[in-house]
C-alpha cells in the first residue's frame, strides 16, 4: 500500500485532485495519509475507502464533512502526529482493530467508533455527538460542554452494569470490564444503556397506572394538562408525554432494551400494588436515612425484581412542570427529567412539548451504587425470603445434556459429571440452570452463569481419548470467556459442536470436569406465578 502526503493549498484543497498529493494520485483502500502542512483537509463526502495509518501534525486537521454533506471513513492503522480529527455532524469515523496506537485530539459532532488499542487521544464531545467503543479506550473523554452526547459500549457481550467513580466509568460486560477516563467528574445518570442509542431512557411501559386527580389512569391514556398527584400529595400538571416502541427481538442485544419487572409487594406491602414494568434506568424512590432515587436496574435481584423478556416494548415518558415523584401502581417513581433523550421519543401526545424548569435536574439524588444501594438490596433480599423465595443449594445446577431433543442425565462423581451419549447424535447441548452473581450479592458481574468447566473428555472406547481444553476455539456458542487460563463458565445453554466427537465409532462418554459449584439461584415460592417475568401482551409502559 502507498503513502500519500498532502501538498494542497488553501486555493486548491480538493481531496480528489491528484495534484494535491505526493506522489501524484488519490489515497485509496489501505493507503496511508500524512497531513503536516498546517491545513484542514477533508475527504470527499460520502463513504470513503478504508485508510491505513494516519499522520496529522499538531497544526493540521483531518475534517470529516458534516451537515448535508456527511462523510464516513475508517482508519485501520496507527494514528500519529498529535493533530486533530474533526468529525462533523452526521459524519462517522471508525478507528478499526488495526489502530495499535492513537495520539492527538478528536472533536466529535457526529459519530466516533473506537475499536483499536493504545489510545492517548482526547475526545471532546459536542451536543448530539456519539462515542461508541468496542475495545478498551485508553484516552480521555471530555463531555464538559454538553449534556446531550452519548457514550456507548457496543462490543461483544452485553453490558450488565455501569459504575461511576469520580472521573472514571466502568462498563461491566460479559466480555470483561472496560473503563473510560473523563476530563471531569461524572453524573452517573448519563451512563446507562438501551439497545438503540447506548443510553437508557427513563420511562414506563404501557399499562402503568399513574395516580391523578381523576383516579388511577393508564399511562397511555394520559393527556397533556391532566393533573397528577405526586408522592408528596402535590398536584402537578403534565406538560409533555412521549412514547417510543422498541423492536427488542431484532436488537443487537435484546436484553439491553427489556424492561424491569417489579413484582407486587417487592419493596413492601402494596409497593407496588400490582406488578410494575419500567425501563432499567427509571429511578425508584427509596428511603435509607434519606429519600433517594435508585435505578431499577440496580435493584434487580432475579426474584422479585427481574428483567422481562419480550419481543417488543413501548416506553412512555411523563414530564411535569418540574421533576417530581409520581405514584405508579402504588410505588413512588420519578417523572421524566430531560437529559438529552427527548428525541428518542418520536411520538408525542397532543403534539405538545413544553419545556420545564430545572434543566434536567432531579428533585432527589440519583445513585446507582454504593452503601445506600447495598442496604436497599439487602432489604430486598430479606423481603424476597419473606415472600417465600429460596436460594437453590444444588452445586451442579441440574446439569444435563439434550441430545437431538432428548434429555440425558449424568452420573456424578465428586466434581466430575459423566454422560453416556448414544450413537448417532447430530445435535448436542449442555444445559443447566443459571444464576448471576449480581442477583444475590454486591458483585457487579451480571453474566448468566451455568456450570464452570475445567476440561471436557470424549471417550468411545475405540479411538483415542480426546481431551478438550476450555480454550478450544470450537467452544463458542453459549460459553463465556476463559478465566485464569483453565476454567470457563457456560451460560446455561451451550452448544457442543459435532466436530468434538467426529469419527467416534459408536456411542461415547462425555466427561466434564467442573471447577467448582454453580452460582446459587432463586427458586420461586411453591404454587406461585412469581417466577413468570414476561410482561403482559409484550407491550409495556
Amino acid at each position: 500500500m502507498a503513502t500519500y502526503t498532502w501538498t494542497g493549498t488553501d486555493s486548491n484543497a480538493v481531496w480528489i485532485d491528484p495534484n494535491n498529493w505526493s506522489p501524484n494520485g488519490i489515497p485509496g483502500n489501505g493507503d496511508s495519509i500524512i497531513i503536516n502542512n498546517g491545513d484542514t483537509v477533508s475527504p470527499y463526502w460520502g463513504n470513503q475507502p478504508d485508510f491505513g495509518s494516519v499522520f496529522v501534525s499538531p497544526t493540521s486537521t483531518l475534517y470529516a464533512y458534516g451537515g448535508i454533506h456527511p462523510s464516513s471513513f475508517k482508519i485501520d492503522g496507527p494514528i500519529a502526529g498529535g493533530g486533530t480529527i474533526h468529525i462533523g455532524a452526521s459524519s462517522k469515523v471508525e478507528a478499526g482493530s488495526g489502530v495499535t496506537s492513537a495520539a492527538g485530539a478528536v472533536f466529535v459532532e457526529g459519530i466516533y467508533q473506537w475499536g483499536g488499542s493504545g489510545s492517548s487521544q482526547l475526545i471532546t464531545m459536542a451536543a448530539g455527538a456519539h462515542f461508541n467503543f468496542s475495545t478498551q479506550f485508553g484516552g480521555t473523554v471530555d463531555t464538559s460542554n454538553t449534556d446531550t452526547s452519548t457514550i456507548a459500549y457496543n462490543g461483544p457481550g452485553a453490558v450488565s452494569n455501569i459504575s461511576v467513580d469520580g472521573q472514571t466509568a466502568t462498563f461491566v460486560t460479559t466480555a470483561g470490564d472496560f473503563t473510560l477516563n473523563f476530563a471531569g467528574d461524572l453524573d452517573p445518570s448519563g451512563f446507562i444503556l438501551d439497545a438503540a442509542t447506548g443510553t437508557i431512557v427513563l420511562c414506563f411501559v404501557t399499562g402503568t397506572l399513574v395516580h391523578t386527580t381523576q383516579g388511577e389512569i393508564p399511562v397511555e391514556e394520559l393527556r397533556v394538562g391532566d393533573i397528577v398527584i405526586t408522592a408528596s400529595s402535590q398536584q402537578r400538571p403534565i406538560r409533555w408525554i412521549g412514547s417510543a416502541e422498541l423492536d427488542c427481538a431484532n436488537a443487537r442485544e435484546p436484553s439491553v432494551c427489556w424492561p424491569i419487572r417489579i413484582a407486587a409487594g417487592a419493596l413492601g406491602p402494596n409497593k407496588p400494588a400490582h406488578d410494575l414494568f419500567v425501563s432499567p434506568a427509571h429511578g425508584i424512590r427509596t428511603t435509607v436515612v434519606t429519600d433517594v432515587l435508585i435505578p431499577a436496574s440496580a435493584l434487580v435481584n432475579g426474584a422479585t425484581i427481574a428483567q422481562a423478556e419480550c419481543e417488543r416494548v413501548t416506553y412512555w415518558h411523563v414530564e411535569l412542570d418540574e421533576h417530581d415523584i409520581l405514584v405508579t401502581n402504588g410505588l413512588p417513581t420519578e417523572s421524566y427529567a430531560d437529559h438529552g433523550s427527548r428525541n428518542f421519543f418520536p411520538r408525542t401526545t397532543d403534539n405538545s412539548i413544553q419545556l420545564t424548569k430545572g434543566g434536567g435536574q432531579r428533585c432527589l439524588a440519583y445513585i446507582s451504587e454504593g452503601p445506600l444501594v447495598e442496604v436497599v438490596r439487602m432489604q430486598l433480599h430479606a423481603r424476597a425470603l419473606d415472600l417465600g423465595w429460596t436460594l437453590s443449594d444444588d452445586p451442579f445446577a441440574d446439569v444435563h445434556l439434550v441430545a437431538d431433543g432428548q434429555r440425558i442425565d449424568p452420573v456424578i462423581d465428586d466434581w466430575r459429571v459423566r454422560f453416556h451419549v448414544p450413537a448417532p447424535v447430530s445435535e448436542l447441548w449442555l444445559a443447566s440452570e443459571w444464576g448471576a452473581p449480581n442477583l444475590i450479592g454486591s458483585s457487579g458481574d451480571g453474566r448468566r452463569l451455568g456450570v464452570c468447566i475445567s476440561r471436557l473428555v470424549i471417550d468411545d472406547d475405540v479411538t483415542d481419548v480426546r481431551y478438550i481444553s476450555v480454550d478450544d476455539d470450537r467452544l463458542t456458542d453459549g460459553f463465556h470467556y476463559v478465566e485464569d487460563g483453565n476454567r470457563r463458565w457456560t451460560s446455561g445453554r451451550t452448544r457442543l459442536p459435532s466436530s468434538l466427537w467426529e469419527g467416534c465409532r459408536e456411542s461415547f462418554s462425555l466427561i466434564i470436569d467442573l471447577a467448582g459449584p454453580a452460582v446459587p439461584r432463586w427458586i420461586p415460592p411453591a404454587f406461585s406465578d412469581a417466577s413468570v417475568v414476561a410482561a403482559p401482551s409484550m407491550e409495556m409502559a
Side-chain angles (χ1 to χ4, degrees), residues 298-322:
L299 302 178
V300 169
N301 60 7
T304 55
I305 302 180
Q307 273 203 303
E309 300 183 15
C310 61
E311 295 182 357
R312 306 187 72 84
V313 59
T314 298
Y315 282 122
W316 295 81
H317 262 334
V318 176
E319 186 176 35
L320 309 179
D321 56 345
E322 291 185 1

Side-chain angles (χ1 to χ4, degrees), residues 357-435:
K357 296 178 284 184
Q361 295 299 311
R362 290 185 167 92
C363 62
L364 294 174
Y366 181 95
I367 59 174
S368 59
E369 63 175 356
L372 291 181
V373 175
E374 292 309 312
V375 169
V376 175
R377 290 181 59 85
M378 290 173 60
Q379 293 173 344
L380 289 171
H381 185 105
R383 176 68 178 169
L385 294 173
D386 289 342
L387 293 174
W389 288 81
T390 57
L391 286 171
S392 169
D393 58 0
D394 173 14
F396 301 102
D398 188 31
V399 64
H400 59 278
L401 293 180
V402 179
D404 292 338
Q406 300 298 312
R407 176 178 172 125
I408 301 175
D409 289 312
V411 174
I412 299 175
D413 181 11
D414 197 13
W415 291 108
R416 170 168 287 188
V417 295
R418 180 189 296 267
F419 299 93
H420 177 75
V421 182
V425 61
S426 59
E427 187 174 68
L428 195 61
W429 292 82
L430 178 65
S432 68
E433 298 173 348
W434 63 267

Side-chain angles (χ1 to χ4, degrees), residues 93-369:
V93 173
E94 178 181 358
S97 59
V99 178
T100 55
S101 61
V106 183
F107 183 78
V108 185
E109 296 174 289
I111 301 173
Y112 186 40
Q113 171 68 54
W114 174 259
S117 60
S119 177
S120 60
Q121 291 174 316
L122 171 63
I123 297 177
T124 300
M125 306 286 286
H130 290 251
F131 173 55
N132 304 325
F133 64 101
S134 59
T135 59
Q136 178 62 50
F137 178 74
T140 303
V141 181
D142 185 356
T143 60
S144 60
N145 293 321
T146 175
D147 60 0
T148 61
S149 55
T150 297
I151 312 291
Y153 171 79
N154 62 357
V159 176
S160 60
N161 185 50
I162 304 175
S163 62
V164 171
D165 183 9
Q167 296 179 210
T168 301
T170 300
F171 289 64
V172 180
T173 84
T174 54
D177 293 357
F178 298 85
T179 57
L180 286 183
N181 297 314
F182 288 78
D185 287 345
L186 302 172
D187 176 4
S189 67
F191 298 88
I192 27 190
L193 297 179
D194 80 47
T197 65
T199 50
I200 273 182
V201 289
L202 313 176
C203 39
F204 303 104
V205 170
T206 302
T208 300
L209 298 177
V210 179
H211 189 38
T212 75
T213 54
Q214 303 299 313
E216 305 294 314
I217 305 296
V219 64
E220 66 273 20
E221 296 180 13
L222 293 173
R223 294 292 179 266
V224 170
D226 286 351
I227 306 299
V228 303
I229 301 176
T230 68
S232 61
S233 299
Q234 299 294 310
Q235 295 187 10
R236 290 192 178 279
I238 295 174
R239 294 305 190 200
W240 177 73
I241 301 172
S243 65
E245 184 179 31
L246 298 184
D247 183 359
C248 306
N250 293 313
R252 185 182 61 85
E253 289 291 345
S255 62
V256 175
C257 56
W258 290 335
I260 304 296
R261 167 189 177 265
I262 304 175
L267 281 79
N270 295 316
K271 294 185 178 180
H274 316 285
D275 289 1
L276 174 66
F277 294 88
V278 296
S279 61
H282 204 107
I284 309 301
R285 193 195 73 180
T286 58
T287 303
V288 183
V289 181
T290 186
D291 287 343
V292 295
L293 289 168
I294 300 178
S297 59
L299 302 178
V300 169
N301 60 7
T304 55
I305 302 180
Q307 273 203 303
E309 300 183 15
C310 61
E311 295 182 357
R312 306 187 72 84
V313 59
T314 298
Y315 282 122
W316 295 81
H317 262 334
V318 176
E319 186 176 35
L320 309 179
D321 56 345
E322 291 185 1
H323 185 261
D324 209 329
I325 306 302
L326 302 169
V327 179
T328 55
N329 287 17
L331 190 69
T333 61
E334 66 174 322
S335 66
Y336 173 60
D338 187 7
H339 291 281
S341 61
R342 191 183 299 274
N343 290 337
F344 179 84
F345 298 86
R347 297 179 301 190
T348 59
T349 298
D350 296 340
N351 296 317
S352 176
I353 297 179
Q354 301 184 34
L355 301 183
T356 62
K357 296 178 284 184
Q361 295 299 311
R362 290 185 167 92
C363 62
L364 294 174
Y366 181 95
I367 59 174
S368 59
E369 63 175 356

